[in-house]
Amino acid sequence: MPALFTPYNLRSLTIPNRIWMAPMCQYSAEVFGPGAGVAGDWHFAHYAARATGGAGLILVEATAVSPEGRISPADLGLWNDTQAGALRRIAAFLKERGTVPGIQLGHAGRKAATDRPWRGDGPVGPDEGWQTVAPSALPYAAGHPVPDALTVEQIQQVVRQFAEAAQRALAAGFQVVEVHGAHGYLIHEFLSPLSNRRTDAYGGSFENRARFALEVVEAVRAVWPEELPVFFRTSATDWVAENPEDGRDGWTADDAVRLARELRVRGVDLMDVSTGGITSGIRIPTGPGYQVPFSRRVRTEAGLPTGAVGLITEPQQAEKILAAGDADAVLLGRELLRDPHWPHRAATALGAAKRLPDQYGWAV
């Protein structure tokens, strides 16, 4: 049995294979009114296609815990029960297909209120936008608005919003919840000294900068059933340490390993290891599997299971990552946008059985 198609056990769950769908925003929810942030037909068709395509676990895209936490005005949300009700249909279909339904919860912080990528992804105008928030009043990049620095009371409110969104995710039928702590969004903004200049209990030392992330995880784990897993997505480096000419202090791979140890003792079951996103203008040396070494470090040094991401496109490449012990699963993003049936193609390439729906299997 290829490693890619070996079932994986996490708490009470058995995930049928190690090919998982990474969360990828669709920017396709309504913007205004009672339908704001509500999943629609596009979302159902999108996720259903990847389930019939054989993904073992699907993480629904970054879903905002509050209106001001959306990356774009058209993001999904889980700040009300209407949104939870619309997601229930998606979670139920994934389970029916034997795919584990998961969802990523996030808050975009200073990178919120931006436009859809196909419209330029710059800050939206006042007709659609809102005042952004962050650990410190530092904009993401030139041309982006200056966010308001969160007060301690507001930080605690966001912690509660994560927990409340997790409760709605559970009610909607999801079996995995992932806390989004990567890509320059709010939790990552607290972690990185590039975006966190606070002088109170949430800034300065590693312990202080990690405080918000750990409080969110503790709040989510407290409302999430003991028998179901919690994931955490991290940016394992800001890519400044790897660029000596940069000269700034950023979040590093050493920090990510240290954070992973703290997450493990707080009940996090797997770290979804990505990189970058904290600010513009940083050189990132991309290439096939370029983020996999960071996954390996977390897995071996922190003793926390990991998912590897980043330009994983070929079945043999994915199989090698798992066989080498670099990760416990691979999470495919753009490759699953291009090819919803990638898991079936991988099964053919590696000589494994396909999990085809009856409606397709009879015709093969």
Side-chain angles (χ1 to χ4, degrees):
M1 172 76 74
L4 205 57
F5 290 92
T6 302
Y8 189 57
N9 296 319
L10 278 175
R11 299 197 182 231
S12 68
L13 292 183
T14 298
I15 304 170
N17 60 42
R18 314 294 183 97
I19 305 168
W20 303 351
M21 182 177 178
M24 291 172 287
C25 289
Q26 296 299 291
Y27 310 101
S28 298
E30 290 186 31
V31 174
F32 301 111
V38 174
D41 289 345
W42 175 266
H43 301 93
F44 180 83
H46 171 64
Y47 292 110
R50 277 76 197 170
T52 58
L57 179 148
I58 288 176
L59 287 170
V60 168
E61 64 202 78
T63 302
V65 301
S66 66
E68 60 273 14
R70 291 172 290 173
I71 300 167
S72 85
D75 281 15
L76 293 183
L78 254 180
W79 64 82
N80 66 47
D81 292 341
T82 300
Q83 295 161 341
L87 288 166
R88 188 173 294 116
R89 180 183 177 218
I90 293 173
F93 184 85
L94 302 191
K95 284 183 188 175
E96 180 185 316
R97 284 298 327 130
T99 295
V100 173
I103 190 166
Q104 184 187 71
L105 303 179
H107 190 300
R110 67 181 186 176
K111 291 178 76 173
T114 55
D115 215 337
R116 298 74 157 171
W118 52 87
R119 289 168 48 171
D121 70 12
V124 295
D127 55 330
E128 284 192 333
W130 55 89
Q131 176 60 44
T132 58
V133 296
S136 304
L138 300 169
Y140 165 68
H144 283 247
V146 177
D148 285 342
L150 289 162
T151 66
V152 172
E153 181 180 2
Q154 289 171 326
I155 290 170
Q156 292 306 307
Q157 180 183 23
V158 176
V159 171
R160 291 191 295 271
Q161 289 168 340
F162 269 92
E164 290 164 359
Q167 288 176 306
R168 292 190 179 96
L170 182 65
F174 289 96
Q175 295 176 296
V176 174
V177 64
E178 178 172 274
V179 174
H180 196 352
H183 300 161
Y185 300 122
L186 187 62
I187 292 176
H188 186 188
E189 290 164 19
F190 272 89
L191 292 170
S192 175
L194 290 175
S195 48
N196 186 345
R197 306 288 175 79
R198 298 177 74 96
T199 57
D200 62 3
Y202 290 92
S205 66
F206 171 90
E207 291 82 2
N208 284 357
R209 287 182 285 111
R211 189 181 307 277
F212 176 58
L214 297 179
E215 287 180 348
V216 168
V217 164
E218 290 169 349
V220 168
R221 185 76 264 184
V223 301
W224 198 249
E226 182 69 21
E227 67 270 17
L228 295 179
V230 171
F231 292 2
F232 186 93
R233 184 164 232 196
T234 190
S235 281
T237 179
D238 288 337
W239 290 105
V240 295
E242 293 80 7
N243 290 285
E245 70 279 5
D246 191 294
R248 293 177 291 176
D249 291 327
W251 183 255
T252 70
D254 289 342
D255 293 327
V257 170
R258 188 175 175 185
L259 178 65
R261 294 184 182 125
E262 297 292 334
L263 294 171
R264 181 170 56 83
V265 299
R266 287 167 172 80
V268 168
D269 299 280
L270 181 139
M271 181 174 270
D272 177 359
V273 184
S274 188
T275 65
I278 194 63
T279 191
S280 63
I282 296 178
R283 183 172 60 86
I284 300 176
T286 61
Y290 71 104
Q291 297 175 133
V292 172
F294 299 99
S295 169
R296 182 177 182 86
R297 279 204 62 185
V298 169
R299 189 174 188 264
T300 58
E301 296 178 33
L304 184 64
T306 61
V309 306
L311 293 179
I312 299 170
T313 59
E314 295 301 325
Q316 292 81 3
Q317 175 197 16
E319 176 71 11
K320 183 177 178 181
I321 289 167
L322 299 184
D326 293 336
D328 296 275
V330 294
L331 289 101
L332 303 186
R334 296 181 187 188
E335 190 62 22
L336 276 179
L337 296 185
R338 291 185 284 261
D339 182 3
H341 289 261
W342 192 96
H344 297 325
R345 182 164 66 83
T348 298
L350 299 174
K354 301 176 184 177
R355 290 194 311 117
L356 286 168
D358 292 339
Q359 295 90 333
Y360 297 168
W362 70 270
V364 173

